[in-house]
Amino acid sequence: MKLSELKTGEKGMIVKVYGHGGFRKRIIEMGFIKGKMVEVLLNAPLKDPVKYRIMGYEVSLRHSEADQIEVVSAVEAKAIKQEQDTLLEQEPLSKTCEANDTDDKMLEAEANNRHRVINVALVGNPNCGKTSLFNFASGAHERVGNYSGVTVDAKVGKAEYEGYTFNLVDLPGTYSLSAYSPEELYVRKQLVEHTPDIVINVIDSSNLERNLYLTTQLIDMHVKMVVALNMFDETEKRGDHVNFDKLGKLFGVPMIPTVFTNGRGVENLFHEVIRIYEMREGEDPHYRHIHINHGHEIENGIAEIQDHLKKENDVRQRYSTRYLAIKLLEKDKDVERYIQTMPDAKEIFEHRDHAANRVKEETLQDSETAVMDAKYGFIHGALKEAQYATGHAEDTYQMTHLLDHILTNKYIGFPIFLLLLVIMFWVTFTLGAYPMDWIETGIAALSELIGQYMPEGPVKAMIIDGIIGGVGSVIVFLPQILILYFFISFMEDSGYMSRAAFIMDRLMHKMGLHGKSFIPLIMGFGCNVPAVMSTRTIESRRSRLVTMLILPLMSCEARIPIYIMIIGSFFAVKYQSLIMMSLYLCGVLMAIIFSKIFTKFVIKGEDTPFVMELPPYRFPTWKALGRHTWEKGKQYLKKMGGIILVASVLVWALGYFPHNEQLDNQAQQEQSYIGRIGKTIEPVFSPQGFNWKLDVGLVAGIGAKEIVASTMGVLYSNDDSFGDDTEVSSEGGKYKKLHQLFTADVATKHNVSIEEAEPIARLTAYCFLLFVLLYFPCIATIAAIKGETGSWKWASFAAIYTTLLAWVVSAIVFQVGMLLI
């Protein structure tokens, strides 16, 4: 009977708890677990809520929630006991049950008996071997269950194993849980309305890729599940190979090889069913429930729909809200009818339509197809991780697999990845140089125009040297930013970015970091802040912490203006892309080294496996590429009008005051507040060869990395030590004035000629880039780490170790470089 059927004053022993996901977990955490006595204290007139006593404290449940808890009452247990005694021609009460504890012992005995009855649903594709398992386990003593409202049936039987009784239900074969056929609707209805304790998902192991699609839908339903890899003997004969243990961990469910025709693996399968059945929600040390990522637009839609669904208690008791949201995005008619009964159905459908339209614009596919592609991408990636190889199976993703043989090849995959990076950076520099020159010319013209018509004074100096010099020195990189993000968007939308992550995964596996950590690390090349926040999806605390600690070593977009400014000023065009790539690779190398150090010495614990999704390749739409590129450009422009503008004016003010008209610009800067600050900290950076202006830029960059570029723009924009017509002594270079002034500073510092200072200036510039790459992440990133870890300890550690690392690496490179010059 259900807990909701107990009357006031009655007691019952809990047998099991039904329901889904978060609802079931919450009920169990409240103490409603197997074998616990519960007493009804107060039954409200309208049934809601009802007060119970359990484990020494009082708690109230709604009638609908109590309906999800199976109990055995004292009256029920006594009646069953008397019936058993009569049949066995024994005394009315067993000798083991004394008068004073008869009720409790009977309740406990009956609750234990009922708990050892496991309701198992057999789910799988047609002809996968479900009926063979059913007949082998039950001895074919089945009956046909005619359930009302459907035209299909299911066979029901029993099996005994290790003292447990299995109520087996052989559901009709189905390829999916969509609403296209009576079989699909029937299976789905049985799983929802007659929630089984365990689902055995039977799979034809000779066709894993196709069969696992149904598995992904069962994962969405958040049911307890064990997968039977049936017909395993045929795959062995054919020479197929798969690491089924790893495959199971990637899917978050145990996978047991079986041959139902001769019973091979059936005992192991039933043993695993019992283990999973007795395991509490989320307590399995080997397998964790996963969420398959369907792409950012669909995932946003899922999250928004779930926010509404979670408010409905009746929904959460019957369904996984994530499953309902996915089905709604697939425009499942049956789910749509169900959602229409809810009070906020209009808002839910608006969220669905918005997400579906975004998917359509980006991929030219409807959301249902996009969901299906994401699931097959997940399956494809999981099989690749599990080293799946077939003898002569038909390749359903021929083009994708053909490209993967090349692009993820263990010998040439990584060189191809590096070559693509070189091409990306080369195009960024060469093609972006033209619009950059146009913007530079426009900014120079604007400065000249204001200089002609505004009277001399601090306002004019602030506009020309502070605002235009600071913001203008960063905004000129907008073309390169747009080009770079066009390439990145193309790689993401085409499916190659996940392959790049897979290539890096091979390296990082050996360094103690893998799985879900790669998604935040890839995101870190865009911005460290959302990348840190995305680590919350990593179940393993160790991986999560290590990922957050090494994320600042990924070259975020905020560093790109500094890279372009310095590289464009000091290095020849033919070397610029290589220098840029070397910085990215250096960051990755440091991340690999420190992830190994952290996992080995700092943060202990076991990691959890994760599949790197490999969606099929496709050519992205130009509209999607344009939108993604422009969104990044728009964010960049917003920064120019916000923090960069404020920081530029602040740096200018520190460099302008106290002002002395009798001093030249260079002397004025040195005696200003910012000059005094720079001179004070200059000895700290003497091993790197930095001058006080570079030091000030680094300090300013603590707020946001773009401020480094704007600070240098301010400090060098109002220095007229050289005339505008002076030729640049190095090849290429867009920032002639910066190159000239910096090289002059180096010549003075090292007491050498301008010509002799050239290589030293390049070395110093590269060491400066290394420092910018590795040192203190921006304040927003530190705050994000604190927020995700809940402690300033790890946030402070990240700030300190990255700064020390930057100091050591840049100092070593400079000192070694000076020996070689």
Side-chain angles (χ1 to χ4, degrees):
M1 67 186 301
K2 300 298 174 63
L3 178 59
S4 57
E5 296 175 76
L6 288 180
K7 298 178 181 178
T8 303
E10 289 186 342
K11 293 182 178 181
M13 188 78 72
I14 296 175
V15 177
K16 61 182 70 172
V17 178
Y18 298 97
H20 292 273
F23 164 78
R24 185 173 184 274
K25 185 178 180 181
R26 183 174 68 87
I27 293 295
I28 291 174
E29 287 173 346
M30 291 170 66
F32 291 86
I33 57 178
K34 182 204 76 162
K36 296 298 180 182
M37 185 75 72
V38 58
E39 178 184 2
V40 183
L41 297 179
L42 180 63
N43 225 317
L46 298 178
K47 294 186 177 181
D48 279 323
V50 181
K51 185 186 290 186
Y52 300 95
R53 178 184 287 118
I54 186 168
M55 297 176 67
Y57 70 97
E58 298 177 0
V59 62
S60 63
L61 291 181
R62 293 182 178 179
H63 183 82
S64 57
E65 294 172 337
D67 203 44
Q68 298 293 318
I69 302 173
E70 183 181 343
V71 298
V72 55
S73 69
V75 175
E76 198 174 18
K78 194 172 290 186
I80 293 171
K81 184 64 178 176
Q82 289 176 348
E83 182 180 347
Q84 290 176 344
D85 287 345
T86 302
L87 291 173
L88 296 173
E89 296 182 349
Q90 295 177 344
E91 294 179 3
L93 294 177
S94 172
K95 294 180 180 179
T96 60
C97 299
E98 301 297 335
N100 61 343
D101 62 354
T102 297
D103 289 348
D104 286 352
K105 285 194 174 182
M106 285 191 302
L107 276 172
E108 186 176 353
E110 185 56 24
N112 187 58
N113 289 337
R114 294 194 183 187
H115 179 77
R116 295 176 78 86
V117 175
I118 307 176
N119 299 316
V120 179
L122 306 182
V123 180
N125 287 187
N127 304 313
C128 67
K130 287 188 298 82
T131 302
S132 297
L133 169 61
F134 179 84
N135 290 336
F136 182 89
S138 67
H141 300 302
E142 76 278 358
R143 63 178 176 83
V144 175
N146 295 311
Y147 297 92
S148 60
V150 296
T151 58
V152 292
D153 58 23
K155 294 187 287 291
V156 179
K158 290 184 180 294
E160 303 283 342
Y161 184 70
E162 293 183 357
Y164 287 79
T165 299
F166 293 79
N167 286 333
L168 301 174
V169 179
D170 184 14
L171 296 173
T174 178
Y175 288 108
S176 73
L177 296 176
S178 301
Y180 295 125
S181 69
E183 289 80 10
E184 291 171 342
L185 282 172
Y186 178 79
V187 172
R188 195 163 78 182
K189 186 175 182 181
Q190 293 306 304
L191 293 177
V192 171
E193 296 184 359
H194 305 276
T195 310
D197 298 313
I198 298 289
V199 169
I200 295 181
N201 178 208
V202 182
I203 284 179
D204 176 3
S205 57
S206 66
N207 190 7
L208 280 177
E209 193 166 48
R210 180 64 188 89
N211 278 245
L212 284 169
Y213 182 77
L214 178 60
T215 309
T216 63
Q217 294 187 316
L218 291 170
I219 288 172
D220 290 339
M221 293 191 78
H222 202 170
V223 295
K224 283 191 172 184
M225 178 168 53
V226 178
V227 172
L229 297 174
N230 196 29
M231 307 178 192
F232 205 75
D233 55 340
E234 294 182 11
T235 64
E236 289 174 329
K237 290 177 183 177
R238 193 173 60 186
D240 291 359
H241 173 269
V242 64
N243 185 336
F244 58 84
D245 185 60
K246 175 176 280 190
L247 188 64
K249 289 178 180 177
L250 293 173
F251 273 80
V253 294
M255 295 189 175
I256 311 298
T258 58
V259 182
F260 293 150
T261 54
N262 60 19
R264 173 187 169 187
V266 172
E267 287 189 359
N268 289 338
L269 178 66
F270 281 179
H271 179 79
E272 194 64 20
V273 167
I274 294 170
R275 190 185 71 82
I276 296 297
Y277 171 72
E278 292 290 1
M279 195 77 63
R280 286 194 195 180
E281 188 78 16
E283 287 187 352
D284 193 334
H286 305 292
Y287 303 95
R288 296 175 182 268
H289 179 68
I290 66 168
H291 284 170
I292 297 168
N293 192 306
H294 298 86
H296 60 96
E297 295 295 351
I298 290 179
E299 288 297 326
N300 287 341
I302 291 172
E304 291 172 345
I305 294 170
Q306 278 189 284
D307 286 341
H308 290 275
L309 298 178
K310 287 178 179 178
K311 298 175 184 176
E312 302 289 333
N313 281 323
D314 291 339
V315 172
R316 298 179 66 187
Q317 293 158 20
R318 299 183 63 206
Y319 295 94
S320 158
T321 56
R322 180 175 175 84
Y323 166 77
L324 272 186
I326 292 170
K327 283 299 169 189
L328 192 62
L329 284 163
E330 289 180 323
K331 300 187 177 178
D332 187 291
K333 299 299 181 185
D334 194 59
V335 171
E336 285 182 343
R337 285 191 292 269
Y338 180 71
I339 298 296
Q340 284 171 351
T341 64
M342 297 181 184
D344 51 353
K346 182 179 179 181
E347 291 84 357
I348 294 174
F349 281 111
E350 286 176 354
H351 289 312
R352 189 276 305 272
D353 293 340
H354 176 72
N357 290 336
R358 294 273 296 195
V359 171
K360 185 73 173 179
E361 290 175 3
E362 290 193 11
T363 66
L364 297 181
Q365 294 178 330
D366 55 55
S367 54
E368 182 179 5
T369 304
V371 169
M372 183 177 66
D373 281 351
K375 283 179 163 43
Y376 273 118
F378 177 87
I379 294 167
H380 180 52
L383 291 175
K384 197 172 187 68
E385 280 278 328
Q387 301 163 359
Y388 178 59
T390 59
H392 48 268
E394 182 181 355
D395 195 348
T396 55
Y397 278 87
Q398 187 173 2
M399 182 55 68
T400 292
H401 291 167
L402 178 63
L403 289 173
D404 273 347
H405 280 311
I406 300 171
L407 297 178
T408 63
N409 184 276
K410 63 180 180 179
Y411 298 112
I412 64 174
F414 195 72
I416 290 175
F417 176 54
L418 295 181
L419 177 63
L420 290 175
L421 286 180
V422 171
I423 293 173
M424 179 175 70
F425 293 133
W426 180 80
V427 173
T428 298
F429 276 106
T430 55
L431 187 61
Y434 299 103
M436 179 181 174
D437 283 340
W438 303 334
I439 296 175
E440 253 186 327
T441 302
I443 291 174
L446 179 62
S447 296
E448 185 178 350
L449 184 65
I450 294 174
Q452 288 178 354
Y453 292 99
M454 280 194 72
E456 294 294 332
V459 175
K460 177 181 178 180
M462 181 186 70
I463 293 174
I464 295 177
D465 299 328
I467 297 176
I468 297 178
V471 176
S473 65
V474 181
I475 203 171
V476 293
F477 303 115
L478 180 62
Q480 280 97 334
I481 295 291
L482 295 177
I483 294 170
L484 189 62
Y485 269 99
F486 177 84
F487 275 98
I488 293 174
S489 296
F490 182 86
M491 288 194 291
E492 286 177 342
D493 295 349
S494 66
Y496 181 73
M497 189 61 84
S498 61
R499 270 71 181 183
F502 179 78
I503 292 168
M504 297 306 299
D505 184 39
R506 293 179 178 179
L507 275 177
M508 300 290 275
H509 261 299
K510 299 178 181 179
M511 299 299 170
L513 196 67
H514 65 286
K516 284 188 178 180
S517 300
F518 284 97
I519 300 302
L521 291 177
I522 291 298
M523 289 177 63
F525 288 113
C527 180
N528 289 167
V529 175
V532 168
M533 297 173 117
S534 71
T535 60
R536 65 185 59 168
T537 62
I538 304 173
E539 292 88 354
S540 167
R541 178 181 176 274
R542 185 189 72 157
S543 284
R544 189 176 178 215
L545 271 176
V546 173
T547 303
M548 280 189 276
L549 291 177
I550 66 172
L551 261 171
L553 303 177
M554 301 293 105
S555 285
C556 65
E557 65 178 19
R559 295 177 172 99
I560 294 174
I562 312 169
Y563 295 166
I564 296 174
M565 171 186 280
I566 301 300
I567 294 172
S569 297
F570 293 94
F571 298 95
V573 174
K574 61 182 180 180
Y575 298 122
Q576 289 175 354
S577 59
L578 293 176
I579 295 295
M580 183 79 133
M581 191 182 69
S582 72
L583 295 173
Y584 278 77
L585 294 181
C586 179
V588 171
L589 178 62
M590 290 294 109
I592 292 173
I593 293 173
F594 276 85
S595 67
K596 186 64 175 178
I597 293 173
F598 291 151
T599 54
K600 191 174 181 69
F601 301 106
V602 181
I603 306 168
K604 304 290 185 179
E606 291 297 322
D607 206 351
T608 53
F610 173 71
V611 59
M612 187 54 59
E613 298 168 30
L614 300 177
Y617 290 102
R618 62 167 176 258
F619 196 91
T621 64
W622 292 108
K623 184 174 183 180
L625 287 175
R627 184 169 65 190
H628 288 162
T629 302
W630 173 240
E631 283 176 354
K632 291 297 181 182
K634 189 165 61 174
Q635 292 173 10
Y636 189 72
L637 289 175
K638 283 182 178 179
K639 272 192 174 182
M640 297 308 100
I643 187 172
I644 304 303
L645 175 61
V646 174
S648 297
V649 173
L650 178 61
V651 170
W652 167 83
L654 290 173
Y656 188 84
F657 298 105
H659 191 69
N660 188 340
E661 293 288 350
Q662 297 179 352
L663 299 177
D664 61 24
N665 285 336
Q666 185 172 356
Q668 166 62 35
Q669 281 188 348
E670 290 183 357
Q671 66 85 39
S672 68
Y673 294 127
I674 203 167
R676 296 172 189 177
I677 294 172
K679 291 290 184 179
T680 302
I681 63 176
E682 189 172 19
V684 177
F685 299 99
S686 60
Q688 290 83 3
F690 299 163
N691 61 28
W692 69 267
K693 295 179 183 178
L694 297 184
D695 302 340
V696 168
L698 293 175
V699 173
I702 291 175
K705 288 297 174 284
E706 295 98 335
I707 299 177
V708 176
S710 67
T711 299
M712 294 184 68
V714 171
L715 293 177
Y716 284 103
S717 66
N718 59 1
D719 192 326
D720 54 4
S721 301
F722 286 83
D724 292 337
D725 58 346
T726 304
E727 294 295 328
V728 181
S729 56
S730 68
E731 295 179 323
K734 301 301 177 184
Y735 276 79
K736 298 180 180 180
K737 200 170 192 179
L738 171 62
H739 177 92
Q740 294 163 353
L741 295 173
F742 186 80
T743 305
D745 287 344
V746 170
T748 302
K749 185 180 183 69
H750 294 274
N751 196 24
V752 294
S753 66
I754 292 294
E755 290 75 17
E756 293 173 321
E758 285 285 349
I760 302 177
R762 291 193 184 95
L763 175 62
T764 306
Y766 188 73
C767 291
F768 182 71
L769 291 174
L770 288 176
F771 202 100
V772 169
L773 164 70
L774 301 173
Y775 90 114
F776 186 100
C778 66
I779 291 175
T781 301
I782 294 298
I785 294 175
K786 188 270 175 185
E788 294 302 313
T789 60
S791 170
W792 281 110
K793 179 180 74 172
W794 292 113
S796 302
F797 178 76
I800 293 169
Y801 103 83
T802 52
T803 304
L804 289 176
L805 175 65
W807 193 94
V808 171
V809 171
S810 57
I812 290 174
V813 172
F814 181 78
Q815 296 300 325
V816 172
M818 287 298 291
L819 294 176
L820 300 177
I821 291 177

